[in-house]
Amino acid sequence: MKNGNLLKAVFWVLLAVCCWPGVSAPIALVAGITFGIAIGNPWSATTSTWSRRLLQASVVGLGFGMNLPELLKTGKDAFLYTAVSISFTMIVGYLLGRSFKIPRRTSTLICFGSAICGGSAIAAMAPVIKAEAEETGVALATVFTLNSIALILFPPLGHLLGMGQRQFGLWSALAIHDTSSVVGAAAAYGGLALAIGTTVKLTRALWIMPSALVAAWFTKSEGKVKVPLFIIGFIAAAAIKTALPQFNQVWNPLNGVAKQSLVVTLFLIGCGLTREVLGRTGVKPLAQGVILWAIVSVTSATAILIGWIS
């Protein structure tokens, strides 16, 4: 009992520290992962739910730091290459799944999560293809593990490759799965990288609905496809900020709170990477996810550095 109380006390202290503006996204994630693996998460289900909700609220708050015309232009420019990236990822992922002889639904979920929007895409697709809870859990664990690694590796790799902020924002949005990890990596790189990364990533996330609807049509599924409302909120916040610039003394603090709440979100996400989660991943699904992620990362970085994507 005493150990349980101490565990909870450590969790709350770390959570409170992550609310301080001096704590960056990578530090919060590493703290969360260390806590989850070394000690264990006392509220794994609760932190998973709240990390998702806090992420969505944070993304909406980031809209108060955006200019709507620039946002729409970036989204329009991103539409084509996000479509190409998603198609490429799904094809390569399908071939990898076949070669590793991974169960079809598990492989589909890993491909879909890698191609579009990580956990959100998996959650949207799972009921459509009637995936079992264990299949969904394996796909989530695989994608989640890679998200955590990407958040730590991408910023130093971006500097090593000599990427500017716009280039890195594009790369993180195209090669990292979850919105939280894209935003966290881009925020560590710079303000412009954050703006570009968030916008392109949300454009990529918009493909959840049409992709899930196509899958539902092919499988004759009656599962419901949910509208990602936080994306609508993000655009609405940018519209309000653009239409009412005289209230920037209100919008700027809201944007600042949203950025720090993302740091807290990443701590909660890190806490979810426990030994139990790693144990559920399995060698073959993890191999599929790692190889697919490496191919997409290298291909998209190359396309950006040679100017095919700008």
Side-chain angles (χ1 to χ4, degrees), residues 59 102 172 304:
V59 169
I102 297 171
S172 61
I304 289 168

Side-chain angles (χ1 to χ4, degrees), residues 37-194:
I37 293 177
I39 303 176
N41 188 342
W43 301 293
S44 57
T46 304
T47 53
S48 175
T49 299
W50 279 103
S51 64
R52 184 172 62 254
R53 292 175 180 173
L54 188 58
L55 168 65
Q56 293 173 350
S58 300
V59 169
V60 173
L62 289 176
F64 289 110
M66 305 290 180
N67 179 274
L68 185 60
E70 294 178 4
L71 175 67
L72 295 176
K73 183 182 184 303
T74 302
K76 180 182 177 181
D77 294 342
F79 187 82
L80 177 60
Y81 47 78
T82 53
V84 172
S85 172
I86 289 167
S87 301
F88 174 75
T89 305
M90 291 295 293
I91 293 170
V92 174
Y94 170 77
L95 295 175
L96 287 171
R98 287 286 300 271
S99 65
F100 285 124
K101 297 181 180 179
I102 297 171
R104 181 179 56 82
R105 289 183 296 201
T106 300
S107 177
T108 298
L109 291 177
I110 291 173
C111 293
F112 198 62
S114 299
I116 301 182
C117 194
S120 299
I122 291 171
M125 181 62 79
V128 172
I129 64 173
K130 299 178 181 177
E132 300 291 340
E134 184 63 25
E135 293 169 324
T136 304
V138 168
L140 286 171
T142 300
V143 170
F144 176 73
T145 301
L146 297 179
N147 279 328
S148 302
I149 295 171
L151 184 53
I152 297 172
L153 289 183
F154 265 56
L157 283 176
H159 289 297
L160 184 64
L161 293 171
M163 286 186 170
Q165 288 201 34
R166 179 177 179 82
Q167 289 177 314
F168 183 81
L170 287 169
W171 187 42
S172 61
L174 293 174
I176 301 178
H177 308 326
D178 265 342
T179 303
S180 57
S181 295
V182 171
V183 173
Y189 212 81
L192 179 59
L194 175 62

Side-chain angles (χ1 to χ4, degrees), residues 25-45:
I27 292 175
L29 180 69
V30 170
I33 292 174
T34 303
F35 180 84
I37 293 177
I39 303 176
N41 188 342
W43 301 293
S44 57

